[in-house]
Amino acid sequence: MGESPILAKRRYPCGEAPISHSKILIRATNWIGDAVMSLPALGAIRASFPRAEITVLARPWVADIYARQTSIDRVIHYRAARGARDLSAKWELAKQLRKEEFDCAILLQNAFEAALVVRLAGIPRRIGYDRDGRGWLLTDPIAVPKPGEIPPHQRFYYLELLRRAGTIDELPVSEAIRLDGMDQAVARGALRFAELGAAVPVIGVSPGAAYGGAKRWMAEGFAEAASRIAIEESASVALFGSEAERPLCDAIAASIRTRGAAAVNLAGQTTLRDFIDLTAACRLFLTNDSGAMHIASAVGVRTVAVFGATDDIATGPTGPLARVVRQDVDCSPCLLRECPIDHRCMTRVTPDRVAAVAMELLR
């Protein structure tokens, strides 16, 4: 493949000449939120190598995020267990990748095993951050950015890897992160809502958070705010979450119904693909800091996210259709999984405030 004119101007580490690649493997991140925040990096890789075949190696539970993107050509599922477990599966994966004859691997994931697999696969150029003791497995071990060296949002962490490797000249202007193919997703989601008996418009609600209870706003807060918005907008409410969060969503749905609004609980009943389609068809989405928040923001739906223990500057939703609600308290953001005191960062966020922010966004 001929290199792009922009690529030829770049300065590569260690005095190397500019390199073009025809077949690139990207090791994806493992969490939904991180996967969404890595999408600008995928777009930058495609812009730098417009004629390359770009493949993403991803865990099955995040694969549908990448599968929608026009910046990549295909997705390979990574099913081996994490860490030192299931070494035979990792070896089989490495053999499979070796047959593919990739000429470059870009590791967006930080783990040691990500570097080990691509090294065993014999991929000649291996780019990744020099961390977790894996630098010796990489041809391009990139220094991890120090605090203050790059903009604080997590998407720039992935973009900076490309900049330091010489793949891009500079960090791009900050933009909203968006998933591709959303017109089709909206149509599929609206059809699915009709099949489920959920009257449009729909207010989506995701009250859970995988990281821990400290990230979760009060269940009754979601019920009060969602029912108020739904009544004002003549809408119904759809609750989303994992199977483990189904009892939580059942309780919130029941509370919403007692307040006079229609509600359907879809927790544990949607694949990631289904969830993206249904979320895209929502009029508004209420959520904690979670993977669901990142998807709601990335599909271009008006999103209101309640933050407490975590830092919205670093991991918040992006773009003009997203709003963050948080209560300033001395101990926040603490980044703890569970609050050791009274959870004041969340209990002091009122349903009135969340509903008001949502209604302002809808107007």
Side-chain angles (χ1 to χ4, degrees):
M1 184 193 99
E3 68 191 25
S4 70
I6 295 177
L7 183 61
K9 299 177 184 177
R10 300 200 176 107
R11 297 293 181 266
Y12 279 75
C14 306
E16 296 175 6
I19 300 173
S20 62
H21 298 294
S22 62
K23 200 167 182 182
I24 300 170
L25 179 71
I26 300 171
R27 175 63 171 97
T29 59
N30 286 347
W31 298 100
I32 288 175
D34 292 335
V36 171
M37 290 187 287
S38 75
L39 294 181
L42 268 67
I45 294 167
R46 171 55 72 194
S48 292
F49 304 100
R51 291 177 293 279
E53 178 185 327
I54 298 177
T55 300
V56 169
L57 178 63
R59 292 289 185 180
W61 55 83
V62 298
D64 277 336
I65 292 174
Y66 297 103
R68 295 170 182 264
Q69 297 309 105
T70 57
S71 57
I72 70 167
D73 296 294
R74 63 190 176 114
V75 176
I76 297 174
H77 286 193
Y78 183 20
R79 301 184 185 277
R82 298 179 189 175
R85 297 170 294 163
D86 206 3
L87 293 176
S88 63
K90 292 181 176 65
W91 175 241
E92 288 302 317
L93 173 62
K95 290 195 295 184
Q96 175 191 347
L97 297 177
R98 182 179 287 272
K99 293 176 183 177
E100 296 273 358
E101 296 184 340
F102 292 103
D103 51 27
C104 178
I106 299 174
L107 309 182
L108 301 183
Q109 197 217 10
N110 294 317
F112 178 88
E113 71 178 66
L116 177 62
V117 168
V118 297
R119 175 63 183 86
L120 292 173
I123 299 175
R125 191 176 186 209
R126 303 176 299 278
I127 301 168
Y129 278 124
D130 186 1
R131 52 179 297 170
D132 294 274
R134 67 183 192 169
W136 61 280
L137 294 168
L138 304 170
T139 59
D140 295 64
I142 306 300
V144 177
K146 297 177 181 177
E149 286 187 341
I150 60 173
H153 196 271
Q154 180 73 12
R155 68 186 184 277
F156 293 107
Y157 178 79
Y158 306 114
L159 288 163
E160 180 68 2
L161 173 67
L162 305 180
R163 191 191 71 79
R164 294 188 179 199
T167 305
I168 59 177
D169 285 324
E170 58 188 3
L171 297 179
V173 176
S174 178
E175 297 178 350
I177 299 173
R178 290 288 182 264
L179 281 165
D180 294 335
M182 285 304 101
D183 288 344
Q184 299 90 332
V186 170
R188 288 192 298 265
L191 179 62
R192 184 66 180 133
F193 274 136
E195 293 171 351
L196 293 167
V200 295
V202 176
I203 308 301
V205 176
S206 180
Y211 182 76
K215 293 175 70 172
R216 295 178 182 175
W217 191 39
M218 309 299 106
E220 278 303 294
F222 277 114
E224 175 63 27
S227 58
R228 193 176 304 178
I229 298 163
I231 292 169
E232 179 71 21
E233 295 294 304
S234 300
S236 62
V237 178
L239 288 123
F240 298 96
S242 65
E243 180 62 37
E245 292 163 346
R246 187 163 182 79
L248 168 67
C249 292
D250 268 335
I252 295 173
S255 184
I256 288 171
R257 294 185 193 110
T258 64
R259 290 172 163 86
V264 58
N265 180 10
L266 301 179
Q269 300 184 48
T270 60
T271 63
L272 177 57
R273 179 183 175 85
D274 294 335
F275 176 71
I276 293 172
D277 291 345
L278 289 166
T279 301
C282 289
R283 176 158 168 72
L284 174 83
F285 207 92
L286 303 180
T287 178
N288 299 308
D289 173 19
S290 63
M293 174 201 73
H294 287 285
I295 289 175
S297 173
V299 300
V301 167
R302 294 170 177 84
T303 303
V304 178
V306 182
F307 271 73
T310 48
D311 183 3
D312 61 283
I313 303 300
T315 61
T318 63
L321 298 180
R323 298 288 185 275
V324 168
V325 178
R326 71 176 309 135
Q327 179 65 41
D328 290 331
V329 294
D330 291 342
C331 52
S332 173
C334 65
L335 307 182
L336 297 176
R337 288 181 180 270
E338 302 295 336
C339 179
I341 49 174
D342 57 5
H343 212 190
R344 64 190 65 177
C345 63
M346 287 299 197
T347 58
R348 295 182 187 180
V349 175
T350 67
D352 287 347
R353 185 176 167 195
V354 172
V357 171
M359 295 307 299
E360 179 183 351
L361 189 56
L362 287 169
R363 297 292 173 261

